[in-house]
Amino acid sequence: MKYSLVIFDLDGTILDTLDDIADSCNAVLKKNNFPVHTKKEIKTFIGNGIPKLIERSLPPATDTETKEKITQEFIAYYRTHSAIKTSPFNGMLDFLTELKNARIKIAVNTNKHEGTAVDICNKYFPGLIDAVTGGRPDTPHKPDPTGVEKILSLLNEKKENTIYVGDSDVDILTAQNAGIDCSSAAWGFRGEEFLKEHGAKKIVHDVNELKEIILG
């Protein structure tokens, strides 16, 4: 097999987290007397990390101090409300188990707060994820390749044996910046047409198509 490591994005790729993100975001906005948003709107805010999610959710003229306050409140609230409506996408748990049985390493690279990402991976995919890199104050967000490079170092893997699987333009750019192959998930938060418009070279529509690329 060509690939010995698969790096997955989290939100919209292996887990459908939209409901819990939207509910948490709106709970914090409502608490602070800001307008709330529809799930469809919040779906377009996701992908560039929590600070950007909050910035997009708040009125344009919101000051920096307030943005930071709401961001920290969201991190705290979401960490205890991240597994209420969230669930793996169809067939994903079985697929990750199959990868593990084939001795292919599995990692997650996300802009989600790293502590929350670790908690979620442990809950929904116990014993399957070999490394998780996420949003940290000392690490630039995707599409910067720092998180991918950290995974490669931790797991002692080469770029030519690694594939990145994500559902957004950010993930496509992350893979490009890291110099690794990429496969884009049409089932995620952005959809096939958006992915095509943003340079996706390989688009998969379900886990079986992804399995064909990775396991043959």
Side-chain angles (χ1 to χ4, degrees):
M1 288 177 287
K2 178 180 180 180
Y3 300 114
S4 53
L5 169 62
V6 185
I7 302 177
F8 291 94
D9 172 54
L10 186 60
D11 301 303
T13 300
I14 60 174
L15 281 177
D16 187 354
T17 55
L18 180 58
D19 283 339
D20 284 334
I21 291 174
D23 289 351
S24 296
C25 187
N26 281 333
V28 174
L29 291 172
K30 186 175 181 180
K31 175 190 171 189
N32 288 275
N33 298 311
F34 287 107
V36 297
H37 298 278
T38 65
K39 188 166 66 172
K40 184 177 181 180
E41 288 171 331
I42 290 178
K43 187 176 182 179
T44 68
F45 300 161
I46 297 170
N48 297 92
I50 291 173
K52 187 60 70 173
L53 165 66
I54 299 305
E55 179 183 319
R56 290 166 175 164
S57 301
L58 290 167
T62 305
D63 62 85
T64 301
E65 183 178 349
T66 300
K67 289 178 186 176
E68 177 61 24
K69 173 180 178 290
I70 303 298
T71 297
Q72 294 307 315
E73 288 185 12
F74 174 86
I75 290 171
Y77 186 94
Y78 180 65
R79 190 156 192 180
T80 58
H81 295 79
S82 62
I84 298 172
K85 300 176 182 177
T86 290
S87 63
F89 283 105
N90 187 39
M92 190 59 67
L93 180 58
D94 289 341
F95 177 56
L96 296 192
T97 301
E98 192 168 352
L99 290 178
K100 179 65 71 174
N101 290 338
R103 300 184 181 277
I104 294 175
K105 295 173 186 175
I106 303 166
V108 166
N109 174 227
T110 175
N111 278 335
K112 185 187 291 294
H113 180 266
E114 188 168 283
T116 303
V118 170
D119 290 345
I120 289 175
C121 287
N122 287 339
K123 176 177 176 58
Y124 290 99
F125 307 108
L128 294 176
I129 311 295
D130 296 295
V132 177
T133 56
R136 298 167 54 99
D138 59 352
T139 304
H141 282 90
K142 299 187 299 182
D144 186 281
T146 299
V148 170
E149 291 165 353
K150 182 178 179 181
I151 288 170
L152 292 171
S153 177
L154 285 171
L155 299 182
N156 193 29
E157 289 290 339
K158 297 179 179 180
K159 292 182 178 183
E160 57 264 32
N161 301 124
T162 302
I163 186 170
Y164 198 105
V165 181
D167 71 310
S168 73
D169 53 325
V170 174
D171 298 319
I172 294 168
L173 288 172
T174 301
Q176 289 176 353
N177 292 338
I180 60 177
D181 287 351
C182 181
S183 185
S184 298
W187 60 78
F189 292 167
R190 294 293 182 263
E192 183 169 6
E193 290 307 312
F194 179 94
L195 293 170
K196 286 180 179 178
E197 290 169 4
H198 289 81
K201 292 182 173 61
K202 295 179 184 176
I203 297 178
V204 289
H205 303 87
D206 55 39
V207 169
N208 286 331
E209 290 186 11
L210 184 58
K211 178 179 174 180
E212 184 67 26
I213 290 173
I214 297 172
L215 293 175

